[in-house]
């Protein structure tokens, strides 16, 4: 037997030259784990009871560990003294434990995590410090929600109530600093920020805390985030109450330390509760379950057994309880896979000569990686809910209750879950069964009673009493001084924009000290983009004046509610139509009048030609026929012609002509109405497209955003743009026009244009506004003053004060310019109707051609053939035939006989020869005075 032991010893020395291996059985009778807690703290006290409760349940359950007894070696550590706590933790690491529950404190957790990585001992810690990650510390296993999620929930509350700035008070250690850093990141994602943060040491004196709170009271933010431990946190609330910082207007949000304290302590002093009225706090959400109810029912007896009878359960008690169970289940799986508990010394852990730290006593858990893997794979339902770790090593589905301190208790007003990252009144476990919905419209929590016993939401900020004087930039204009300018006598700023600003400030419930600083020389209008940029450069705290709200300016600055509409419009010259006795002639140009009148005569003549031979109404003496032509022609203008048309060709021509007359008449009526009621533009400009398609110069006001807008948005060449500095330059440039060194039009904002048009009457707006903007006051990003001033401007608009200020500075009267010069404008020209006239003319020509072709055929058919000359009867010169044209014209002038209708009863029984019919139809020829003459039948 002794020889066998000797051989085993020799083999161990050969196989393990760096240390001696101490091995236990694959399923030992006892397994030791450790716990590093702060026993005299609330969380530490409930953790002790929770660990003991878990040990009782695990060791009494035969399905877990198969007879192996789990024991926990608990050690107290000092979180307030970082050095002493670190030494205590390192001494504890000399014991051979396979896992550690804790540490509770983030400072100690950082130190122990380094050691745990080397010794391969998993840390089942509920420290919430977000910088304790599984990447840097792979053996760190967080068994409670990280501060990343808690601070995201705090940021969601701040954003829900539309507060933009907060003040952060924190304990100046790893827990406090890293928690506030996480809060800063979460607020930034929601366009909020920490305007002031102040830390204090764990052993800070009362005077130090008072000075801290006094400095906080001087800040503009009234939303205070308190991230600390229970001891210092309660002191701060007590002192804040004494300093009247728990009244109306203040918002206090405490992290989960407060809910852990109130949940665990059965009796909280009344003055302590009184000093926290209206405070909001967070609590890690634990869903109700049978396992949770069973543990709560046993808690009273457990706490008495383990000397913590004054403590009740809290969320951390449930997390610690499940942490022990997670180790037990991982060990069970570890043993099932053949895992063995063995430790070996690391040759690197040796004291230098004369050292007394006994580093060589620390042993490496040989199969620590295997146990860590089993821990990260656990998946069971515990008292805290589903215990399962995600890829980052955090528990899945972190969630928080939003709690309001009221009276002697707490009221849950809502929930936050990482599943939707929104506030809701629906339980998180209910949301998990639905698809995630991140719409802000779904956010809602119940009404909160705020400090001061009010249900009205605090504004969240005030203008600090010790605040520095605001430096407000104001444009010093050269033109349009009614809006804003510098008084040369007093040196003060005055104008429409100044009055709007001062009246809005008067509505604020707090005083604001400010100083106007003129921007610009006053000899020309300043560039407003430069003025707004100076706010971002911190040269100005704000800028007021006629500042247009553009997309580029809102990138880095916030603007108030617009106090006046200001879209871009086009200015162009106009020509007034002066009402006189000859106004009815203005709709048509002279050319149009002449062509229209000519066509009346042409159509009348054409219809007369087509109807003359067959229509008695178009026959008579030459005088009567001329009158008929004129009467018929001009009566069609009113569709009052009484003569009937009988020929098909005449009717066709008349239909086309009546359509032309209808179009001309309607156009004339519309044009005359417009001339008598509306001023017409003297140019062809109808909108922005006409400016883009032209090559003529375009004017703009110096310093206006219109220049960049036309270049970037409308793609108009900068070489076409001409800067104009005053109304006089406007009028002169438009009067001269593009051919004489002026401009075809001017693009400017409507308020300037309306003021300009009150003096210059021969210029008007062409088209409608092609941008929709407004003027506002510029402030730095997320400035609370911007929000309050926007509300004040809306109040000015609703009570009519804004209109009164407008009438005071910008009210304009009737334009009284000389009207002796006027020109016809936008008359109807021939070019607009030549198509109609062409159609009508072509119809007349075609009708006449058809008519004359038919007439020639009839003429040739009815004229008798000429008798040939014979020697016996030669034709004398006097008897030579006359020209056929004269005969044809005479033929056209004669009335065409009506066509005879033959009936059966009158048909002769004797056939009539063709010769007889021909003789009947031919006209009778007779000789008068030696000439052949045709006689009518």
């Amino acid at each position: 037997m002794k020889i066998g032991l000797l051989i085993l010893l020799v083999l161990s020395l050969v196989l393990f030259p760096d240390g001696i291996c101490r091995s236990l059985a694959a399923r030992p009778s006892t397994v030791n784990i450790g716990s590093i807690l702060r026993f005299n703290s609330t969380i530490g006290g409930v953790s002790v009871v929770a660990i003991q409760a878990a040990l009782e349940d695990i060791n009494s359950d035969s399905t877990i560990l198969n007879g192996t007894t789990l024991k926990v070696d608990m050690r107290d550590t000092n979180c307030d003294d970082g050095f002493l706590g670190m030494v205590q933790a390192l001494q504890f690491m000399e014991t051979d434990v396979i896992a550690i529950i804790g540490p509770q404190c983030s400072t100690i957790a950082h130190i122990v995590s380094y050691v745990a990585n080397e010794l391969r001992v998993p840390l089942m810690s509920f420290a919430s410090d977000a910088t304790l990650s599984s990447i840097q510390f792979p053996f760190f296993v967080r068994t409670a929600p990280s501060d990343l999620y808690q601070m995201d929930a705090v940021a969601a509350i701040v954003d829900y109530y539309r507060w933009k700035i907060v003040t952060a008070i924190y304990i100046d250690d790893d827990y406090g600093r890293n928690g506030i850093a996480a809060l800063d990141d979460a607020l930034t994602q929601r366009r909020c920020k920490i305007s002031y943060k102040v830390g204090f040491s764990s052993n800070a004196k009362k005077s130090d805390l008072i000075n801290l709170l006094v400095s906080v009271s001087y800040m503009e933010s009234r939303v205070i985030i308190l991230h600390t431990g229970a001891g210092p946190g309660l002191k701060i609330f007590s002192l804040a109450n004494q300093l009247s910082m728990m009244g109306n207007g203040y918002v206090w949000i405490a992290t989960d330390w407060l809910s852990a304290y109130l949940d665990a302590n059965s009796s909280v002093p009344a003055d302590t509760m009184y000093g926290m009225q209206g405070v909001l706090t967070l609590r890690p959400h634990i869903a109700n379950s049978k396992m949770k109810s069973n543990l709560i029912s046993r808690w009273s007896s457990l706490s008495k057994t383990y000397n913590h009878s004054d403590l009740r359960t809290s969320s951390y008690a449930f997390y610690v309880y499940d942490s022990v169970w997670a180790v037990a289940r991982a060990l069970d799986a570890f043993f099932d896979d053949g895992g063995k508990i063995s430790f070996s010394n690391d040759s690197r852990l040796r004291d230098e000569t004369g050292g007394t730290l006994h580093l060589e006593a620390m042993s490496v858990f040989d199969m620590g990686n295997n146990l860590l893997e089993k821990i990260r794979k656990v998946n069971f339902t515990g008292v805290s809910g589903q215990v399962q770790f995600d890829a980052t090593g955090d528990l899945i589905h972190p969630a928080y209750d939003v709690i309001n301190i009221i009276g002697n208790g707490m009221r849950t007003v809502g929930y936050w879950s990482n599943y939707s990252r929104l506030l809701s009144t629906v339980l998180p476990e209910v949301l998990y069964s639905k698809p995630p919905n991140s719409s802000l419209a779904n956010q809602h929590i119940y009404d909160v009673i705020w400090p001061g016993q009010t249900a009205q939401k605090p504004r969240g900020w005030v203008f600090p009493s010790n605040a520095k004087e605001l430096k407000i930039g104001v444009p010093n204009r050269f033109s349009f001084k009614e809006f804003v300018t510098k008084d040369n006598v007093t040196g003060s700023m005055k104008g429409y924009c100044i009055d709007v600003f001062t009246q809005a400030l008067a509505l604020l419930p707090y005083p604001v000290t400010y100083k106007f600083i003129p921007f610009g020389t006053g000899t020309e209008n300043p560039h407003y983009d430069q003025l707004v940029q100076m706010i971002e450069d911190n040269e100005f705290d704000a800028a007021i004046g006629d500042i247009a709200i553009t997309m580029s300016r809102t990138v880095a600055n916030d603007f108030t509610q617009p106090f006046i509409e200001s879209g871009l419009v086009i200015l162009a010259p106009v020509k007034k139509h002066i009402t006189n006795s000859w106004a009815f002639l203005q709709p048509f140009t002279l050319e149009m009048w002449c062509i229209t009148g000519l066509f009346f005569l042409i159509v009348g003549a054409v219809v007369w030609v087509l109807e003359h031979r067959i229509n008695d109404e178009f026959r008579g003496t030459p005088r009567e026929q001329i009158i008929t032509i004129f009467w018929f022609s001009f009566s069609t203008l009113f569709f009052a012609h009484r003569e009937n048309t009988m020929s098909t060709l005449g009717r066709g021509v008349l239909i086309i002509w009546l359509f032309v007359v209808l179009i001309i008449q309607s156009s004339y009526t519309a044009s005359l109405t417009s001339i008598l009621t509306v001023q017409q533009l003297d140019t062809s400009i109808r909108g922005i497209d006409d400016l883009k398609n032209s090559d003529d110069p375009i004017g703009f006001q110096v310093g206006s955003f219109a220049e960049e807008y036309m270049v970037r948005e409308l793609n108009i060449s900068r070489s076409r743009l001409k800067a104009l500095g005053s109304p006089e330059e406007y009028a002169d440039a438009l009067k001269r026009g593009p051919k004489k060194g002026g401009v075809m039009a001017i693009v400017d904002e409507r308020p300037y244009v309306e003021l300009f048009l009150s003096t210059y009457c021969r210029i008007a707006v062409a088209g409608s506004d092609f941008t929709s903007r407004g003027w506002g006051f510029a402030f730095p990003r997320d400035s609370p003053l911007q929000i309050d001033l926007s509300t004040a401007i809306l109040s000015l608009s609703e009570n009519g004060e804004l209109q009164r200020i407008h009438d005071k500075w910008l009210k304009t009267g009737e334009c009284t310019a000389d009207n002796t010069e006027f020109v016809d404008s936008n008359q109807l020209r021939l070019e607009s109707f030549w198509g109609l006239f062409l159609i009508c003319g072509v119809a007349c020509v075609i009708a006449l051609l058809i008519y004359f072709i038919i007439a020639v055929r009839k003429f040739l058919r009815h004229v008798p053939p000429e008798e040939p000359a014979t020697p016996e009867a030669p034709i004398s010169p006097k008897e030579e035939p006359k020209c056929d044209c004269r005969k044809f014209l005479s033929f056209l002038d004669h009335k065409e006989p009506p066509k005879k209708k033959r009936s059966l009863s009158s048909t002769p029984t004797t056939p009539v020869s063709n010769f007889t019919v021909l003789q009947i139809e031919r006209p009778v020829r007779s000789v008068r005075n030696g000439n052949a003459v045709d006689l009518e039948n």
Side-chain angles (χ1 to χ4, degrees):
M1 185 69 177
K2 293 182 179 179
I3 296 175
L5 291 174
L6 181 61
I7 295 174
L8 181 62
L9 177 61
V10 172
L11 289 174
S12 65
L13 291 174
V14 174
L15 296 175
F16 303 100
D18 293 334
I20 299 175
C21 176
R22 301 186 298 277
S23 300
L24 300 174
R27 281 238 179 216
S29 59
T30 303
V31 176
N32 293 322
I33 63 174
S35 177
I36 302 176
L37 303 171
R38 182 183 179 186
F39 292 164
N40 63 347
S41 68
T42 300
I43 295 178
V46 299
S47 298
V48 170
V49 179
I51 291 174
Q52 296 296 346
L55 288 177
E56 290 183 7
D57 296 340
I58 292 170
N59 293 328
S60 62
D61 190 343
S62 59
T63 62
I64 298 296
L65 296 178
N66 293 329
T68 299
T69 301
L70 185 65
K71 292 184 178 181
V72 179
D73 184 6
M74 288 185 282
R75 296 291 180 89
D76 189 11
T77 185
N78 191 337
C79 290
D80 295 333
D81 191 332
F83 175 75
L84 181 59
M86 178 185 66
V87 172
Q88 293 170 343
L90 291 176
Q91 290 175 344
F92 180 68
M93 298 300 291
E94 295 177 2
T95 63
D96 291 339
V97 292
I98 62 169
I100 295 177
I101 306 300
Q104 171 187 340
C105 308
S106 296
T107 304
I108 307 302
H110 276 276
I111 302 300
V112 175
S113 294
Y114 284 106
V115 180
N117 285 350
E118 297 297 327
L119 302 183
R120 303 173 194 166
V121 177
L123 295 181
M124 309 296 289
S125 177
F126 42 91
S128 60
D129 186 351
T131 61
L132 289 166
S133 66
S134 60
I135 299 176
Q136 183 181 9
F137 305 112
F139 281 83
F140 178 85
V141 180
R142 195 192 311 275
T143 58
S146 167
D147 274 345
L148 283 176
Y149 304 112
Q150 179 174 209
M151 295 309 174
D152 203 1
V154 173
I157 296 173
V158 173
D159 185 49
Y160 175 75
Y161 288 106
R162 302 187 182 279
W163 298 316
K164 292 300 182 182
I165 57 175
V166 301
T167 296
I169 302 176
Y170 61 96
I171 188 167
D172 194 9
D173 59 10
D174 289 342
Y175 163 74
R177 287 190 300 270
N178 296 332
I180 294 304
L183 174 63
D184 202 3
D185 292 340
L187 290 172
T188 301
Q189 292 180 0
R190 300 174 184 268
R191 290 190 61 184
C192 306
K193 67 178 182 179
I194 301 175
S195 61
Y196 181 66
K197 50 187 174 183
V198 55
F200 62 93
S201 63
S202 58
N203 58 356
K205 299 178 181 179
K206 179 179 179 181
S207 59
D208 296 333
L209 296 178
I210 291 176
N211 292 334
L212 179 149
L213 291 173
V214 170
S215 67
V216 169
S217 67
Y218 287 155
M219 298 299 109
E220 58 183 344
S221 174
R222 284 294 183 262
V223 180
I224 303 172
I225 313 298
L226 185 57
H227 184 55
T228 178
L234 295 176
K235 289 181 183 179
I236 288 178
F237 277 132
S238 177
L239 295 174
N241 190 39
Q242 296 176 22
L243 295 174
S244 301
M245 295 178 64
M246 301 297 296
N248 286 331
Y250 280 92
V251 176
W252 286 85
I253 303 176
T255 50
D256 61 356
W257 65 265
L258 180 56
S259 64
Y261 171 81
L262 296 177
D263 285 338
N265 287 274
S266 56
S267 59
V268 180
D271 57 342
T272 300
M273 293 298 298
Y274 176 76
M276 297 187 296
Q277 294 300 298
V279 173
L280 288 180
T281 185
L282 297 176
R283 175 202 291 144
H285 178 74
I286 305 295
N288 292 324
S289 65
K290 187 176 181 180
M291 295 179 61
K292 176 182 176 182
S293 301
N294 291 337
L295 181 59
I296 293 174
S297 63
R298 297 166 48 204
W299 189 265
S300 179
S301 60
L302 288 170
S303 61
K304 291 179 181 179
T305 302
Y306 299 106
N307 302 320
H308 289 285
S309 58
D310 58 332
L311 295 179
R312 299 177 300 184
T313 58
S314 70
S315 298
Y316 283 96
F318 302 131
Y319 287 124
V320 173
Y321 179 89
D322 285 341
S323 298
V324 181
W325 268 95
V327 173
R329 290 179 180 275
L331 275 172
D332 195 39
F334 173 76
F335 290 140
D336 287 343
D337 286 350
K340 297 181 180 181
I341 298 178
S342 62
F343 297 89
S344 61
N345 291 336
D346 190 338
S347 60
R348 296 175 298 171
L349 299 176
R350 295 181 181 275
D351 290 342
E352 296 294 335
T353 303
T356 58
L357 290 178
H358 304 293
L359 295 178
E360 71 279 0
M362 296 183 181
S363 303
V364 178
F365 181 19
D366 295 326
M367 301 191 72
N369 287 323
N370 300 72
L371 180 59
L372 176 64
E373 181 182 359
K374 300 301 181 184
I375 290 175
R376 294 201 178 278
K377 289 183 178 180
V378 296
N379 185 359
F380 66 96
T381 301
V383 294
S384 64
Q386 189 68 23
V387 180
Q388 183 181 356
F389 299 100
D390 59 18
T392 63
D394 291 326
L395 288 172
I396 63 171
H397 298 324
Y400 286 89
D401 301 338
V402 182
I403 298 172
N404 188 201
I405 309 297
I406 302 175
N408 294 323
M410 300 180 290
R411 182 173 71 100
T412 301
V413 296
Y415 307 94
W416 179 92
S417 70
N418 190 53
Y419 185 70
S420 64
R421 298 190 65 199
L422 297 177
L423 297 172
S424 175
T425 56
V426 180
L427 289 170
E429 53 268 27
V430 176
L431 294 177
Y432 299 152
S433 62
K434 303 177 181 179
N437 189 341
S438 300
S439 174
L440 294 177
N442 296 327
Q443 280 205 127
H444 175 67
I445 60 176
Y446 297 116
D447 292 338
V448 174
I449 303 300
W450 303 101
Q453 300 296 315
T454 177
Q456 183 178 1
K457 185 201 82 170
R459 185 171 63 246
W461 81 285
V462 295
F463 200 81
S465 57
N466 66 335
K468 64 179 181 179
E469 190 176 57
L470 293 181
K471 296 182 296 182
I472 300 179
V474 183
N476 187 15
R477 295 190 57 86
F478 171 71
S479 61
F480 299 107
K481 295 185 177 182
E482 292 84 352
F483 294 103
V484 59
T485 188
K486 181 180 179 181
D487 192 321
N488 294 327
V489 178
T490 62
S492 60
M493 305 302 295
K494 64 178 183 178
Y496 168 72
C497 300
I498 301 298
D499 281 4
V500 172
F501 177 74
T502 55
Q503 290 296 322
L505 279 185
L507 297 179
L508 300 184
Y510 48 85
V512 178
T513 57
Y514 60 90
K515 178 182 179 181
F516 288 142
I517 301 177
F519 175 72
T521 61
T523 57
E524 66 175 4
N525 295 332
H527 290 272
Y528 284 66
D529 286 337
Q530 298 177 7
L531 173 61
V532 176
Q533 180 63 36
M534 294 179 73
I535 301 176
E536 186 179 0
D537 297 339
N538 294 322
E539 296 186 37
F540 289 144
D541 298 312
I544 70 167
D546 47 342
I547 305 173
I549 304 174
T550 65
M551 182 182 66
S552 60
R553 294 172 183 173
T554 57
V555 172
N557 298 279
D558 283 343
F559 283 82
T560 62
Q561 171 77 18
F563 55 87
I564 190 172
E565 295 299 323
S566 175
L568 287 179
V569 296
I570 302 173
L571 273 176
V574 298
K575 299 175 180 179
K576 283 192 175 180
H577 290 272
I578 308 303
T579 303
N580 55 36
S581 56
W582 300 99
F584 68 92
L585 295 176
Q586 293 180 3
F588 290 164
T589 60
L590 178 62
E591 185 182 25
M592 181 67 181
W593 277 118
C594 294
I595 296 300
T596 302
L598 179 62
F599 259 83
F600 272 106
L601 297 177
I602 290 174
V603 171
V606 169
V607 172
W608 176 85
V609 170
L610 298 176
E611 296 289 326
H612 178 67
R613 298 188 70 237
I614 62 175
N615 195 337
D616 291 335
E617 294 182 356
F618 288 87
R619 300 185 64 82
T621 63
R623 179 174 175 274
E624 291 175 346
Q625 294 184 52
I626 292 174
I627 294 174
T628 299
I629 291 174
F630 277 91
W631 165 254
F632 178 82
S633 298
F634 290 100
S635 63
T636 57
L637 178 63
F638 309 102
F639 306 100
H641 52 284
R642 62 187 180 185
E643 293 80 9
N644 294 322
T645 52
M646 300 176 62
S647 66
T648 302
L649 294 176
R651 290 173 180 175
V653 170
L654 184 60
I655 288 174
I656 295 175
W657 173 244
L658 290 178
F659 174 74
V660 174
V661 169
L662 175 64
I663 299 301
I664 293 175
Q665 184 187 58
S666 302
S667 302
Y668 176 87
T669 304
S671 180
L672 181 61
T673 302
S674 177
I675 288 173
L676 296 177
T677 56
V678 182
Q679 292 183 357
Q680 302 293 319
L681 294 178
D682 187 32
T683 67
S684 58
I685 300 174
R686 294 298 178 272
I688 193 63
D689 290 336
D690 294 332
L691 297 185
K692 293 168 62 176
N693 298 330
S694 174
D695 294 326
D696 294 331
I698 304 171
F700 68 93
Q701 185 181 169
V702 175
S704 172
F705 76 94
E707 177 184 13
E708 294 300 323
Y709 180 85
M710 287 188 285
V711 172
R712 296 180 181 179
E713 302 296 331
L714 304 181
N715 296 321
I716 295 177
S717 174
R718 197 181 295 273
S719 61
R720 292 180 55 199
L721 304 182
K722 184 175 182 179
L724 304 172
S726 66
E728 293 76 15
E729 292 184 19
Y730 280 26
D732 181 65
L734 289 173
K735 182 179 181 180
R736 287 186 286 129
K739 296 181 180 180
K740 297 181 180 180
V743 296
M744 67 179 298
I746 295 174
V747 175
D748 205 353
E749 298 174 71
R750 181 168 286 279
Y752 304 124
V753 169
E754 291 178 350
L755 195 61
F756 173 79
L757 293 179
S758 65
T759 305
Y760 297 89
C761 304
R762 298 191 186 94
I763 301 171
V765 175
S768 58
D769 299 20
F770 55 91
T771 63
S772 179
R773 304 180 188 272
W775 289 352
F777 304 139
F779 288 88
R781 174 71 71 188
D782 299 326
S783 171
L785 188 59
Q786 170 259 335
I787 299 174
D788 288 352
L789 272 180
S790 294
T791 305
I793 290 172
L794 288 175
S795 298
L796 292 177
S797 177
E798 291 175 358
N799 62 25
E801 183 63 27
L802 197 61
Q803 184 62 42
R804 285 191 288 271
I805 298 174
H806 181 277
D807 294 342
K808 172 185 174 182
W809 290 97
L810 307 178
K811 187 174 183 180
T812 58
E814 292 291 335
C815 185
T816 57
D818 185 13
N819 292 326
T820 56
E821 293 183 10
F822 67 93
V823 292
D824 296 336
S825 174
N826 290 337
Q827 293 176 313
L828 297 175
R829 304 178 183 277
L830 179 62
E831 290 81 2
S832 302
F833 299 92
W834 71 268
L836 290 174
F837 288 128
L838 178 63
I839 293 173
C840 186
V842 170
C844 291
V845 171
I846 292 175
L848 289 176
L849 287 176
I850 295 174
Y851 173 79
F852 280 115
I853 290 173
I854 295 174
V856 168
R857 290 181 60 191
K858 289 183 178 181
F859 172 75
L860 295 176
R861 189 190 316 151
H862 296 161
V863 173
E866 296 290 341
E867 295 179 359
T870 60
E872 293 81 7
I875 299 176
S876 64
K878 292 183 179 181
E879 295 180 353
E880 291 181 1
K882 301 294 181 182
C883 180
D884 288 343
C885 291
R886 185 174 179 182
K887 297 177 182 179
F888 179 69
L889 292 177
S890 178
F891 172 78
L892 292 179
D893 184 55
H894 292 164
K895 185 176 185 302
E896 183 177 335
K899 295 180 180 181
K900 296 181 179 180
K901 297 181 182 180
R902 299 195 303 180
S903 59
L904 295 175
S905 58
S906 60
T907 303
T909 57
T910 304
V912 182
S913 65
N914 291 336
F915 176 79
T916 306
V917 174
L918 181 62
Q919 292 300 320
I920 294 173
E921 291 181 351
R922 287 181 177 176
V924 179
R925 298 174 58 88
S926 63
V927 178
R928 294 181 182 177
N929 301 325
N931 295 327
V933 178
D934 292 334
L935 300 178
E936 294 185 11
N937 292 331

